[in-house]
C-alpha cells in the first residue's frame, strides 16, 4: 500500500523525498510519486508532483530528464491555467531559467532552439508582468557560452539595470553569476568584491556559498592570496562533497589541488566520486571534470609519476599517463560537440587552456591528512661546484670540496664523493696522499657508525701525507664512531694514546691547534656518550657523578685550549661553541636548568658569530625547551624563530616540522592563534614530507584544528580535525588528545549545524572519558552530546543523554550542571505529545535542587551568589515554559485553565525578578529581563496598571546609565540597555492601546 491517499499525504511524501540525498534513488522516488499523484485525479496534485520531479532532476546528475516534465507542465498551463495555484504559477515561471541553462548544457539541443526558448521566456515573463532581469541573466549565459563577448557584456549590463522582482535569482546566486562573469573577463579583484557578501555568509541558499567558494579558488591564487584560497577550499569542499549535482564545483576543487602542489589530495577527491567519470546526464559539467582530471594527471607526469596507479573510471586499473590521455580525449570530444552545435571554437579553446595551466603555487600546505602520498623518486644529488662552473673537471671539484669542508659547509661529504667519482673516471693516480686522505675521511663521515675502518685508513693516508696531527684526529674519529655503536669503554681506551701524542706534538710545535682541538673534542664526545649511557642505565649515583666529572674535565680541556684563540678560524670557533653546548648538556643533566639555558644560548650565538648558523639550530631548539620550562616564553619564542631562520634550507623535514610545532604551541599559549595556526600548518606539511604523518603530523593537525577553532573558522577546523582522527591513537598520542580532538570537532560541527555528526563525536569522546578517574569531562561531554541530539531532532535520545549527564553532575556535586540538565529535559518534554506535565515536574525538580543546595550551604559561602543566579534563571525559564505551554494549549484548553497557567508563569518570573534583585547590580540585566517578562504576562492577564509599573521600573533601573557601564553578566551582548529600554517603551505603548480600546 502506497500510503498516498490524498494531496496532503502526497505533499508529505514529497517533502520527505526532498530531504533525501541527491541522486538516482531520490529521482526514482519522485517518479513513483508522480504515478501516485495521477491516480488521485486531482490536477493540482499532478502539477505539484511534476514540479517535484523537475526539481530533483535539476539537483542531480540526471539533469537531462528535466525537459519532459517541464514540457508537460507547460502544456497543462497553456490548456488550463486555472488548475495552477499561486505557488505553482510562480514555480512554473521560475523553472524557465532552469530550462535555459539546462538546454545550454546539452550539446544535442540546437542553438536555434535555445535562442527560440530564450525569446519564449522573455515573452511569457512580459505577459506575466515580470522584469526582464532573469531573461538578461539567461542571455548572458548563452552569449558567454558561445564566446560572443560583446553580446554578453550588453546582457550583463541589462541584467544589472533591470529591476529585481520575484523571478530574479536569490542575492547569493546572482552575485555568484556576476562575479563569475568578472572572473571570466580576467577581472579577479572585481569578482572577489562581488562574492564577498556570499563568502561572509550575508547571503546564502541551498547551493551557496558552495559554488562561490569553488569559483573563488583560482582567482584568489591568481591574486596571490593563497591563504584565502586554502580556507575556501577547506570550507567549500565540505559543502559539495555529498552533493551529486555539483560536479562542476567539485572540478574546481580538483583544479585547485593540481595548481597548488596538492596532487595527492586531488587523487583522493577523484577516488571519492568515481561516478563523475561516467555520469552523462550533464555533459557540460562532465567536460569541466574531465578537463581538470587531465590537468591533474599532467602534473603527476611532470613529477615523474606517469606510471603511478590512480583512481579512474570503474572496470580497470589506470596509470596517471593512461587516465590523462583518456580524460583529455573525453574533454576534447565533448568540447567539439558543443562547438559543432554553437558554430564557434570557443568551448574547445577554453578546455585546452584549462588543461594547459601551469601551477600557480608550487607548494600550498592544506593541513589535512593525505592518505595517498604522491612522492616522486628523489633526483640524483648533483655534486656541488663552484659558481659559474659547468661540467667541472677534477681540479675544480677538488677546490670546491676543500672550500666546503674547510668552511664546515653542508654538503661537503657529497662534494668529496664527487671528487672520488671524477678521479676514478679520469683513471690513473691523479690524487695525492692528502687528497686521498680527505676523500676517505669524508666517505667515513658519510657512513656514520659504520665508518670506523675508513677513518683508520684515512689516518694512514694523513700520516703518509706528513700530517701526524690530522692522522691522530682521524683515529679519534674512528674511536668516536665505535662509541656511537655502543662500544664506549673500548673507545675511551682507544682515544687515550692519540690524546697524549697530539698534546706532545702540539707542545713541540709539530702539529697545529686545530688538529689538537679535534683530538680533544673527539675524546670529549666519547665522554659525553658515556654520560648518556650512564643516564640510560640508571646506575649508582656515585658512578654517575664520577662519569659526569670525567666528561666535564674533558670538555673544559677543549675550552681551555681553544676559547679566545680562534683568531677567525671557524673550526676552532665551532669547537668552543660545541664545548659550551656540552657543558649545557651536563648542567641540564645535573638539574641546573638556568645554567644550561644560558650555556646553550652562548653556544648558539658563537656558532652564528662564526658564520655557522646551521650548527646553532640544535642548541636553539634545546634552549627553547629549557626556556619554556623556566617560564620564559619570550626567550623560547625567540630561540625557535632563530632555529627556523638559521636552519634555512639545511633543516631536514622532520626537524622543521618539530620546530614549527613547538613555535605553534608557544604562540598559541600567548593567544596568537592566527600566527600559531600558520606554524601548525607548516608542521603538518613537513611531517607529511618526512613520512611522519601518522605520528607527528597527526599531532600537528590536532593543534592546527584547535587553533582554527579558536578563530571561529569552524569548517576549516572540522576538515583538519577529521583528517587527524584516523591517525590519533591513545598509545601514541594519549587518549586525552583523542578526546580533545573529538570534543573540538563536535563543537565545530555544532556551529556548522551538523548536529547528528556533532552528537556522534561528542558521544565517542564521552565513552573514552567514561573510564577516567576524574569524571568532569565525561559529564560535560554527555551534556554537550545531549544538546546536539536535541538540535538534531532526536528528543528521546537527547533525554537519555541528559539523564546520564545529570547523574554524573550529581555524583560530582555540581548543582549547576544538574539543574541545567533538568531544565533542558523539561524543554525537551514540552516538545512531545502530552509532555507538558512532565516538563513542569522537571522544571520544579530544578528549582528544588537549587533551593536544597542553598539551604545546605552557609550564608557566607562564596558560591552562594552563583547558586542564587542559577535559581533566578530556573524560575525565569519555568515561567517561560508555562507561558509557552499555555500558548500551545490555547486551542484545546478552556479559558480558566489557560489563565491559571499564565498566573503560574507570572509567579515564576516574578520570583526570578526577586532573586535577581537580591544580587544587586551584578544581576541588573537579568532582573530587568524578568521584570519585562512579568510585565507582558500582566498585560496578557488584563492588568495594565501592573504591566505599566513593571515597564517603568525597568526604565528607572537604567536611568542615567549607558552601555559603557557594564555589569558582571558576561553573556549579555552589547546594546542590552538600549534593548531593555526599547522593550519597556513598547510594553507601555501596548498597554496604553489596550486601555484606549
Amino acid at each position: 500500500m502506497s500510503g498516498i491517499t490524498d494531496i496532503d499525504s502526497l505533499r508529505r511524501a514529497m517533502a520527505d523525498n526532498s530531504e533525501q540525498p541527491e541522486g538516482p534513488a531520490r529521482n526514482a522516488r519522485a517518479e513513483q510519486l508522480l504515478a501516485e499523484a495521477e491516480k488521485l485525479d486531482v490536477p493540482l496534485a499532478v502539477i505539484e508532483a511534476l514540479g517535484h520531479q523537475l526539481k530533483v532532476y535539476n539537483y542531480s546528475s540526471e539533469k537531462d530528464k528535466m525537459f519532459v516534465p517541464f514540457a508537460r507542465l507547460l502544456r497543462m498551463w497553456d490548456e488550463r491555467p486555472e488548475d495552477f495555484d499561486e505557488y505553482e504559477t510562480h514555480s512554473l515561471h521560475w523553472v524557465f531559467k532552469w530550462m535555459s541553462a539546462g538546454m545550454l548544457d546539452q550539446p544535442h539541443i540546437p542553438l536555434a532552439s535555445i535562442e527560440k526558448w530564450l525569446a519564449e521566456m522573455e515573452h511569457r515573463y512580459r505577459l506575466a508582468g515580470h522584469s526582464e532581469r532573469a531573461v538578461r541573466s539567461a542571455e548572458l549565459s548563452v552569449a558567454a557560452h558561445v564566446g560572443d563577448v560583446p553580446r554578453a557584456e550588453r546582457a550583463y549590463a541589462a541584467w544589472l539595470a533591470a529591476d529585481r522582482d520575484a523571478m530574479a535569482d536569490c542575492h547569493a546566486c546572482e552575485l555568484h553569476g556576476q562575479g563569475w562573469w568578472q572572473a571570466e573577463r580576467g577581472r579577479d579583484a572585481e569578482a572577489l568584491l562581488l562574492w564577498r557578501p556570499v563568502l561572509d555568509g550575508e547571503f546564502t541558499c541551498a547551493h551557496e556559498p558552495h559554488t562561490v567558494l569553488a569559483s573563488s579558488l583560482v582567482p584568489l591564487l591568481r591574486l596571490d592570496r593563497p591563504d584565502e584560497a586554502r580556507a575556501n577550499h577547506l570550507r567549500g569542499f565540505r559543502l559539495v562533497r555529498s552533493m551529486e549535482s555539483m560536479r562542476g564545483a567539485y572540478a574546481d576543487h580538483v583544479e585547485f589541488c593540481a595548481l597548488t602542489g596538492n596532487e595527492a589530495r586531488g587523487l583522493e577527491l577523484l577516488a571519492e566520486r568515481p561516478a563523475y567519470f561516467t555520469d552523462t546526464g550533464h555533459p557540460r559539467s562532465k567536460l569541466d571534470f574531465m578537463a581538470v582530471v587531465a590537468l591533474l594527471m599532467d602534473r603527476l607526469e611532470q613529477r615523474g609519476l606517469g606510471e603511478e596507479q590512480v583512481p579512474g573510471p570503474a572496470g580497470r586499473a589506470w596509470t596517471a599517463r593512461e587516465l590523462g590521455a583518456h580524460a583529455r580525449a573525453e574533454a576534447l570530444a565533448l568540447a567539439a560537440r558543443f562547438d559543432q552545435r554553437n558554430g564557434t571554437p570557443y568551448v574547445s579553446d577554453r578546455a585546452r587552456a584549462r588543461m594547459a595551466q601551469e601551477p600557480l603555487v608550487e607548494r600550498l600546505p592544506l593541513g589535512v591528512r593525505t592518505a595517498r602520498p604522491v612522492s616522486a623518486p628523489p633526483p640524483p644529488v648533483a655534486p656541488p661546484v663552484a659558481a659559474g662552473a659547468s661540467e667541472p673537471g677534477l681540479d675544480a671539484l677538488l677546490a670546491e670540496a676543500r672550500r666546503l669542508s674547510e668552511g664546515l659547509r653542508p654538503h661537503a661529504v657529497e662534494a668529496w664523493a664527487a671528487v672520488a667519482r671524477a678521479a676514478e673516471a679520469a683513471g690513473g693516480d691523479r690524487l695525492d696522499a692528502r687528497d686521498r686522505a680527505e676523500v676517505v675521511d669524508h666517505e667515513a663521515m658519510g657512513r656514520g657508525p659504520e665508518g670506523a675502518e675508513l677513518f683508520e685508513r684515512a689516518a694512514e693516508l694523513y700520516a703518509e701525507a706528513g700530517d701526524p696531527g690530522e692522522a691522530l684526529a682521524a683515529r679519534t674519529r674512528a674511536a668516536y664512531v665505535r662509541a656511537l655503536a655502543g662500544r664506549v669503554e673500548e673507545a675511551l681506551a682507544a682515544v687515550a694514546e692519540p690524546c697524549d701524542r697530539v698534546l706532545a706534538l702540539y707542545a713541540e710545535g709539530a702539529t697545529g691547534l686545530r688538529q689538537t682541538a679535534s683530538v680533544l673534542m673527539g675524546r670529549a664526545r666519547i665522554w659525553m656518550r658515556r654520560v648518556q649511557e650512564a643516564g640510560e642505565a640508571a646506575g649508582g649515583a656515585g658512578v654517575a657523578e664520577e662519569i659526569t666529572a670525567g666528561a666535564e674535565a674533558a670538555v673544559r680541556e677543549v675550552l681551555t685550549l681553544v676559547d679566545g684563540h680562534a683568531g677567525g678560524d671557524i673550526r676552532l670557533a665551532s669547537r668552543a661553541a660545541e664545548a659550551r653546548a656540552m657543558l649545557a648538556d651536563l648542567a641540564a643533566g645535573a638539574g641546573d636548568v638556568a645554567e644550561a639555558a644560558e650555556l646553550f644560548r652562548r653556544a648558539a650565538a658563537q656558532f652564528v658569530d662564526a658564520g655557522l648558523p646551521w650548527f646553532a639550530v640544535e642548541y636553539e631548539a634545546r634552549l627553547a625547551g629549557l626556556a619554556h620550562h623556566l617560564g620564559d616564553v619570550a626567550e623560547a619564542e625567540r630561540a625557535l624563530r632563530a632555529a627556523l631562520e638559521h636552519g634555512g634550507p639545511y633543516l631536514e623535514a622532520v626537524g622543521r616540522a618539530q620546530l614549527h610545532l613547538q613555535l605553534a604551541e608557544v604562540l598559541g599559549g600567548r593567544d596568537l592563534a592566527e600566527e600559531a595556526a600558520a606554524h601548525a600548518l607548516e608542521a603538518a606539511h613537513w611531517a607529511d614530507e618526512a613520512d611522519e604523518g601518522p605520528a607527528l603530523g597527526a599531532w600537528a593537525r590536532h593543534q592546527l584544528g584547535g587553533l582554527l577553532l579558536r578563530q571561529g573558522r569552524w569548517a576549516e577546523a572540522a576538515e583538519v580535525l577529521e583528517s587527524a582522527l584516523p591517525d590519533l591513537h591513545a598509545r601514541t598520542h594519549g587518549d586525552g588528545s583523542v578526546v580533545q580532538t573529538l570534543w573540538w570537532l563536535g563543537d565545530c560541527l555544532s556551529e556548522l549545524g551538523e548536529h547528528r555528526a556533532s552528537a556522534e563525536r561528542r558521544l565517542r569522546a564521552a565513552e573514552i572519558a567514561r573510564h577516567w578517574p576524574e569524571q568532569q569531562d565525561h559529564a560535560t561531554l554527555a551534556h554537550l552530546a545531549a544538546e546536539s541530539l536535541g538540535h538534531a531532532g532526536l528528543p528521546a535520545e537527547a533525554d537519555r543523554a541528559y539523564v546520564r549527564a545529570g547523574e554524573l553532575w550529581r555524583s560530582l556535586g555540581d548543582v549547576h550542571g544538574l539543574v541545567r540538565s533538568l531544565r533542558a529535559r523539561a524543554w525537551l518534554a514540552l516538545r512531545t505529545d502530552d509532555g507538558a506535565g512532565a516538563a513542569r515536574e522537571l522544571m520544579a525538580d530544578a528549582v528544588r535542587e537549587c533551593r536544597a543546595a542553598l539551604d545546605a550551604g552557609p550564608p557566607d559561602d562564596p558560591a552562594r551568589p552563583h547558586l542564587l543566579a542559577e535559581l533566578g534563571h530556573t524560575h525565569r525559564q519555568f515561567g517561560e515554559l508555562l507561558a509557552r505551554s499555555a500558548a500551545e494549549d490555547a486551542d484545546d484548553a478552556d479559558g480558566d485553565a489557560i489563565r491559571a497557567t499564565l498566573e503560574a508563569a507570572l509567579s515564576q518570573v516574578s520570583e526570578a525578578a526577586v532573586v535577581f534583585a537580591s544580587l544587586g547590580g551584578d544581576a541588573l540585566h537579568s532582573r530587568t529581563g524578568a521584570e519585562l517578562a512579568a510585565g507582558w504576562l500582566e498585560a496578557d492577564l488584563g492588568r495594565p496598571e501592573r504591566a505599566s509599573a513593571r515597564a517603568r521600573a525597568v526604565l528607572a533601573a537604567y536611568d542615567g546609565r549607558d552601555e559603557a557601564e557594564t555589569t558582571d553578566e558576561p553573556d549579555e551582548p552589547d546594546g542590552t540597555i538600549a534593548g531593555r529600554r526599547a522593550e519597556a517603551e513598547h510594553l507601555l505603548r501596548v498597554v496604553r492601546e489596550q486601555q484606549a480600546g
Side-chain angles (χ1 to χ4, degrees):
M1 186 173 179
S2 69
I4 308 299
T5 57
D6 54 25
I7 194 168
D8 288 335
S9 57
L10 174 68
R11 286 168 174 165
R12 286 194 296 272
M14 291 190 296
D16 289 342
N17 195 43
S18 294
E19 296 300 316
Q20 300 305 307
E22 296 177 352
R26 188 170 74 157
N27 295 353
R29 176 59 175 157
E31 292 161 5
Q32 294 171 0
L33 291 174
L34 175 60
E36 295 293 335
E38 290 169 336
K39 296 175 186 177
L40 297 178
D41 197 25
V42 177
L44 184 59
V46 175
I47 290 167
E48 290 186 12
L50 283 167
H52 174 65
Q53 188 182 76
L54 199 157
K55 181 177 180 180
V56 299
Y57 283 155
N58 184 57
Y59 295 120
S60 78
S61 62
E62 298 179 309
K63 293 177 185 285
D64 54 338
K65 292 184 176 181
M66 288 192 302
F67 306 109
V68 171
F70 182 74
R72 185 176 173 187
L73 271 173
L74 194 59
R75 186 170 63 252
M76 293 176 72
W77 167 262
D78 288 338
E79 293 172 354
R80 291 180 55 85
E82 65 272 17
D83 289 340
F84 288 70
D85 63 14
E86 182 179 357
Y87 177 80
E88 293 304 327
T89 299
H90 173 87
S91 296
L92 177 69
H93 286 81
W94 182 268
V95 296
F96 264 89
K97 300 180 293 184
W98 294 359
M99 294 305 105
S100 299
M103 289 180 178
L104 204 60
D105 296 339
Q106 304 290 334
H108 68 278
I109 298 179
L111 188 61
S113 298
I114 297 172
E115 294 284 8
K116 180 180 177 182
W117 183 257
L118 189 61
E120 178 76 6
M121 177 182 174
E122 183 174 8
H123 172 68
R124 287 183 181 263
Y125 272 37
R126 189 179 300 114
L127 287 178
H130 295 309
S131 162
E132 68 171 0
R133 189 177 182 92
V135 178
R136 299 286 77 85
S137 173
E139 182 185 7
L140 168 64
S141 299
V142 174
H145 176 65
V146 301
D148 187 344
V149 174
R151 181 188 179 190
E153 292 282 25
R154 290 194 300 272
Y156 181 81
W159 172 20
L160 299 189
D163 293 335
R164 275 189 57 83
D165 66 352
M167 283 300 109
D169 284 341
C170 74
H171 283 291
C173 287
E174 281 211 328
L175 289 172
H176 174 249
Q178 292 162 17
W180 170 83
W181 178 243
Q182 297 296 333
E184 282 289 298
R185 300 301 298 143
R187 300 187 283 261
D188 291 332
E190 290 87 342
L192 268 298
L193 284 174
L194 285 164
W195 288 331
R196 180 54 54 196
V198 184
L199 294 172
D200 289 346
E202 182 179 347
F203 300 121
T204 62
C205 68
H207 286 73
E208 293 297 352
H210 313 45
T211 54
V212 164
L213 286 163
S215 297
S216 72
L217 298 174
V218 171
L220 283 168
L221 292 173
R222 288 194 297 242
L223 290 170
D224 194 25
R225 291 157 64 177
D227 292 339
E228 293 175 67
R230 176 199 301 112
N232 287 2
H233 169 64
L234 294 178
R235 284 177 60 200
F237 185 67
R238 285 187 65 79
L239 296 174
V240 304
R241 173 183 272 140
S242 62
M243 301 184 74
E244 184 198 49
S245 65
M246 303 198 74
R247 178 164 55 182
Y250 201 99
D252 291 340
H253 286 280
V254 176
E255 177 183 43
F256 166 82
C257 293
L259 297 177
T260 58
N262 287 289
E263 294 85 358
R265 168 92 166 164
L267 293 179
E268 290 191 354
L269 268 57
L270 299 188
E272 284 194 32
R273 279 290 184 180
Y276 278 173
F277 288 101
T278 53
D279 284 344
T280 59
H282 192 240
R284 185 143 71 151
S285 69
K286 184 177 182 183
L287 164 58
D288 290 336
F289 184 74
M290 299 309 284
V292 299
V293 170
L295 172 67
L296 179 62
M297 296 307 112
D298 283 353
R299 291 292 302 138
L300 291 175
E301 281 223 61
Q302 290 165 20
R303 288 180 175 269
L305 297 165
E307 299 307 313
E308 179 93 356
Q309 292 291 306
V310 296
R316 56 161 288 188
W318 295 88
T319 66
R321 182 173 294 109
E322 292 166 341
L323 182 60
H326 169 78
R328 183 177 298 277
E330 284 267 305
L332 291 176
L334 282 166
R337 290 176 59 198
F338 281 107
D339 285 344
Q340 184 177 14
R341 188 267 303 273
N342 300 339
T344 71
Y346 187 70
V347 175
S348 292
D349 289 346
R350 290 185 74 251
R352 288 191 180 91
R354 192 171 196 182
M355 291 186 286
Q357 292 177 98
E358 292 296 323
L360 294 169
V361 180
E362 188 59 34
R363 179 186 72 84
L364 181 61
L366 302 179
V368 291
R369 172 181 182 266
T370 300
R372 296 173 51 90
V374 172
S375 54
V381 177
V385 296
S390 58
E391 297 186 9
L394 181 57
D395 290 342
L397 289 173
L398 261 173
E400 176 65 6
R402 190 156 283 124
R403 183 186 71 84
L404 293 175
S405 58
E406 282 294 310
L408 298 178
R409 311 287 299 182
H411 306 306
V413 169
E414 294 88 342
W416 282 104
V419 169
R421 290 193 299 272
E424 183 178 355
D429 189 7
R430 295 194 52 192
L431 298 179
D432 61 25
R434 177 72 190 201
D435 297 335
R436 284 183 284 120
E438 294 194 65
V439 166
V440 175
D441 202 1
H442 284 84
E443 183 182 353
M445 295 175 192
R447 297 279 187 93
E450 299 175 358
E453 292 185 2
L454 282 172
F455 278 128
E456 297 286 4
R457 173 60 182 149
E460 295 172 1
L461 290 168
Y462 280 125
E464 182 182 332
D467 191 340
E470 201 60 53
L472 293 170
R475 286 179 57 194
T476 303
R477 289 191 281 274
Y480 177 58
V481 298
R482 290 190 175 98
L484 291 177
R487 295 149 61 184
V488 178
E489 295 300 331
E490 176 186 334
L492 276 174
V495 81
E497 189 259 342
C499 283
D500 291 341
R501 283 191 59 196
V502 80
L503 287 170
L505 289 171
Y506 180 60
E508 297 167 2
T511 193
L513 182 58
R514 179 189 288 187
Q515 290 79 8
T516 307
S518 180
V519 174
L520 296 183
M521 178 56 77
R523 181 176 63 179
R525 287 171 177 168
I526 296 169
W527 269 104
M528 292 299 295
R529 182 68 184 171
R530 193 177 185 200
V531 170
Q532 182 182 344
E533 282 198 350
E536 293 169 354
V543 174
E545 288 178 7
E546 181 182 340
I547 293 172
T548 301
E552 183 175 352
V555 173
R556 291 198 179 280
E557 190 169 359
V558 177
L559 264 181
T560 300
L561 180 69
V562 300
D563 210 15
H565 303 292
D569 187 323
I570 63 171
R571 283 179 173 263
L572 294 177
S574 75
R575 300 299 184 205
E578 184 179 355
R580 260 194 190 84
M582 289 176 172
L583 291 176
D585 268 323
L586 293 172
D592 192 343
V593 179
E595 176 69 6
E598 174 59 20
L599 286 166
F600 276 133
R601 187 192 63 75
R602 291 177 63 191
Q606 274 189 283
F607 276 123
V608 173
D609 291 344
L612 302 169
W614 48 88
F615 284 123
V617 172
E618 176 186 351
Y619 308 118
E620 285 163 336
R622 297 282 302 279
L623 170 59
L626 294 174
H628 204 272
H629 178 79
L630 290 167
D632 190 347
V633 177
E635 176 66 359
E637 180 184 340
R638 185 208 63 76
L640 289 167
R641 291 187 188 279
L644 282 167
E645 177 189 351
H646 294 149
Y650 309 119
L651 269 175
E652 292 185 356
V654 68
R656 192 178 297 274
Q658 290 167 338
L659 288 171
H660 277 296
L661 187 53
Q662 286 177 265
L663 187 52
E665 292 172 347
V666 169
L667 293 170
R670 293 184 53 210
D671 289 329
L672 300 173
E674 187 172 351
E675 187 181 359
H679 285 285
L681 178 67
E682 287 292 323
H685 169 78
W686 289 109
D688 291 341
E689 288 289 303
D691 201 22
E692 290 286 340
L696 185 60
W699 183 249
R701 279 181 266 279
H702 163 83
Q703 295 286 353
L704 174 59
L707 291 162
L708 291 170
L709 179 145
R710 283 165 59 179
Q711 298 172 64
R713 295 159 67 177
W714 316 113
E716 297 168 68
E719 278 291 295
V720 170
L721 293 167
E722 284 174 346
S723 74
L725 270 177
D727 292 326
L728 283 172
H729 301 288
R731 64 180 179 275
T732 306
H733 305 93
D735 56 5
S737 65
V738 178
V739 168
Q740 184 64 80
T741 300
L742 288 165
W743 194 329
W744 282 337
L745 183 53
D747 291 348
C748 291
L749 295 172
S750 178
E751 292 287 343
L752 294 168
E754 300 176 35
H755 297 298
R756 280 179 181 258
S758 173
E760 189 272 330
R761 302 308 193 281
R762 287 169 166 175
L763 288 169
R764 277 178 58 191
E767 179 58 26
I768 298 171
R770 181 171 69 88
H771 303 286
W772 292 355
E774 213 291 313
Q775 288 290 283
Q776 181 75 26
D777 287 340
H778 182 198
T780 304
L781 286 162
H783 198 114
L784 289 171
E787 286 183 6
S788 293
L789 290 165
H791 289 308
L794 300 168
E797 293 85 345
D799 186 70
R800 286 195 294 272
Y802 275 126
V803 169
R804 178 60 180 145
E807 292 169 351
L808 290 164
W809 292 129
R810 189 184 294 280
S811 70
L812 290 166
D814 190 322
V815 179
H816 299 278
L818 173 59
V819 167
R820 290 171 188 180
S821 67
L822 288 167
R823 292 199 309 241
R825 290 182 63 203
W827 285 108
L828 280 172
L830 192 64
R831 289 160 52 182
T832 63
D833 294 337
D834 303 322
R840 295 182 188 191
E841 186 57 36
L842 285 163
M843 202 64 83
D845 287 344
V847 171
R848 283 191 288 271
E849 292 291 348
C850 280
R851 292 204 176 277
L854 285 164
D855 292 343
D860 58 350
D861 187 347
R864 189 174 182 82
H866 299 292
L867 281 171
L868 279 169
E870 199 71 74
L871 176 61
H873 289 302
T874 304
H875 278 302
R876 169 77 187 270
Q877 288 196 35
F878 200 168
E880 291 173 351
L881 182 142
L882 290 167
R884 179 84 57 83
S885 68
E888 292 176 357
D889 292 343
D891 294 335
D892 302 323
D894 60 57
D896 290 341
I898 292 173
R899 187 174 185 83
T901 302
L902 290 176
E903 291 282 8
L906 176 59
S907 174
Q908 292 293 335
V909 294
S910 297
E911 185 63 27
V914 171
V915 172
F916 289 134
S918 72
L919 292 168
D922 290 348
L924 174 61
H925 294 332
S926 295
R927 176 171 70 83
T928 56
E931 288 281 8
L932 286 169
W936 288 110
L937 286 166
E938 299 276 20
D940 290 341
L941 287 165
R943 299 165 185 163
E945 293 81 5
R946 294 185 183 181
S948 296
R950 290 187 184 272
R952 284 192 291 271
V954 170
L955 291 173
Y958 290 122
D959 189 32
R961 284 179 174 264
D962 57 35
E963 295 293 346
E965 298 179 60
T966 61
T967 72
D968 289 339
E969 296 183 271
D971 292 336
E972 292 294 341
D974 292 341
T976 298
I977 293 177
R980 292 281 196 272
R981 283 173 171 157
E983 187 179 353
E985 295 285 2
H986 179 54
L987 177 55
L988 287 170
R989 286 195 299 272
V990 169
V991 169
R992 284 195 294 269
E993 291 169 3
Q994 285 179 341
Q995 290 175 316

